Amino acid sequence: MSVAGLTKNQALVFDKLTAAGGPMSAYQILDNLREEGFRAPLQVYRALDKLIADGLVHKLESLNAFVACAHPEEKCGSHGLTAFAICNECGNVFEFHHHGLEHDLEHFLGAKGFKPEKTVVEIRGKCANCA
Amino acid sequence: MSVAGLTKNQALVFDKLTAAGGPMSAYQILDNLREEGFRAPLQVYRALDKLIADGLVHKLESLNAFVACAHPEEKCGSHGLTAFAICNECGNVFEFHHHGLEHDLEHFLGAKGFKPEKTVVEIRGKCANCA
DNA sequence: TCAGATATGTTATACTGTTACAAACTTGTG
DNA sequence: CACAAGTTTGTAACAGTATAACATATCTGA
Ligand SMILES: [Zn+2]
Ligand SMILES: [Zn+2]
Ligand SMILES: [Zn+2]
Ligand SMILES: [Zn+2]
């Protein structure tokens, strides 16, 4: 379950998020880790910072929530662009890479002198089950 | 400057945002409208809700901030996809539409039974001036 | 052992957004 | 005009998200 190189708190947060199988807010994580000794938001946010830097967790900006990476073996962190389809009905999140997209954006913005560092792509809608 | 069909508070918020020429947080807007009689966040959020629904203002999810539409005459609201390149150095925001992008995403997700309703695309990086 | 670095704990606070309810204004109708 | 219905605004309280500042503990290498 766990991943090498993580501290205790980082591992607790990562495992909780992985077990959830979907997005959680920082405060939901906090409440779910009180039994394990968590007391303050900062414990969660610090762990999330590291997990995000390592590409093991992503932040969903349009939800203010966090989700475990769907394929950590692919080193999402190294991709400039990770995209999410988020169902507004059931809350299900589908994570994907789309190289055409990435390339198009880089090309389009590069021509304008803009250097992308991190790209947020979140598609809100209805998933196949909820349509 | 103003736009027809807006109430007093909506017009005040829209004008302030337009004059700013860049993103503002809801509370920055509030503080800038105290002289005009604003007292509570809800006055700002209610106005923003309407302006966003009308496509005159966009929310930048990765900044928790709001920006006046760069080309309201094009009815951004009717596009599924409006994208933003946001400079991490100077805060400048460049709004654009990219139909190839929109089409690719629709095609890719449509094949999976996902029906997009609203898409967030925000590219954070360095603009030409700051590179 | 001891110093420096890293990780954690704790409190308080700042920032973002909503609920609930009351009052004022607008508009159409008898 | 009177007055009801709808819409806009005002106000207070609160809920949810995130960080600053400082203290303590733990780990690591000289
Ligand atoms: Zn990922
Ligand atoms: Zn669904
Ligand atoms: Zn626009
Ligand atoms: Zn710039």
Side-chain angles (χ1 to χ4, degrees):
Chain A
M1 189 91 160
S2 272
V3 169
L6 297 183
T7 67
K8 192 184 78 172
N9 285 359
Q10 289 159 14
L12 284 168
V13 169
F14 179 70
D15 289 351
K16 188 59 78 176
L17 220 33
T18 301
M24 297 178 78
S25 76
Y27 279 72
Q28 282 177 328
I29 295 170
L30 174 58
D31 287 340
N32 274 271
L33 286 176
R34 295 219 182 256
E35 293 179 8
E36 280 84 341
F38 274 48
R39 297 267 159 266
L42 205 48
Q43 296 176 285
V44 176
Y45 283 110
R46 284 202 276 230
L48 287 172
D49 283 350
K50 176 62 159 44
L51 294 168
I52 290 170
D54 287 359
L56 295 172
V57 166
H58 303 296
K59 174 168 189 181
L60 301 175
E61 298 286 354
S62 69
L63 288 178
N64 293 321
F66 304 86
V67 67
C69 179
H71 29 57
E73 66 286 353
E74 290 182 28
K75 294 280 180 198
C76 274
S78 68
H79 291 259
L81 194 158
T82 301
F84 303 89
I86 302 168
C87 179
N88 288 327
E89 299 295 318
C90 66
N92 187 58
V93 173
F94 166 60
E95 176 183 343
F96 63 98
H97 294 291
H98 191 300
H99 283 261
L101 206 78
E102 194 169 352
H103 185 265
D104 281 2
L105 272 178
E106 256 173 37
H107 191 265
F108 179 78
L109 290 174
K112 299 190 153 42
F114 190 94
K115 301 259 181 298
E117 288 164 6
K118 185 190 178 213
T119 297
V120 175
V121 176
E122 298 176 17
I123 303 98
R124 310 289 301 264
K126 274 196 178 52
C127 77
N129 289 334
C130 297
Chain B
M1 188 91 159
S2 275
V3 168
L6 298 182
T7 65
K8 191 184 79 174
N9 285 359
Q10 290 159 13
L12 283 168
V13 168
F14 178 71
D15 288 353
K16 188 61 75 174
L17 220 31
T18 300
M24 297 179 78
S25 77
Y27 279 71
Q28 281 177 329
I29 296 170
L30 174 58
D31 287 340
N32 273 272
L33 286 176
R34 295 220 182 255
E35 292 179 6
E36 279 84 331
F38 275 46
R39 296 266 159 264
L42 202 48
Q43 296 176 285
V44 175
Y45 283 110
R46 283 203 276 232
L48 287 172
D49 283 348
K50 176 63 158 47
L51 294 168
I52 290 170
D54 287 1
L56 294 172
V57 165
H58 303 296
K59 175 168 189 180
L60 302 175
E61 297 286 353
S62 70
L63 288 178
N64 292 322
F66 304 86
V67 66
C69 178
H71 30 56
E73 66 286 352
E74 289 180 29
K75 293 281 180 197
C76 275
S78 67
H79 292 259
L81 194 158
T82 301
F84 304 89
I86 303 168
C87 179
N88 289 326
E89 299 295 318
C90 66
N92 188 57
V93 173
F94 166 60
E95 175 183 343
F96 63 98
H97 295 290
H98 190 300
H99 283 260
L101 209 76
E102 193 168 353
H103 184 265
D104 281 1
L105 272 178
E106 257 172 38
H107 190 265
F108 179 79
L109 291 174
K112 299 192 153 41
F114 190 94
K115 300 262 180 297
E117 287 164 6
K118 188 193 177 208
T119 297
V120 175
V121 176
E122 298 176 16
I123 303 97
R124 311 287 301 265
K126 274 198 179 52
C127 78
N129 288 335
C130 297

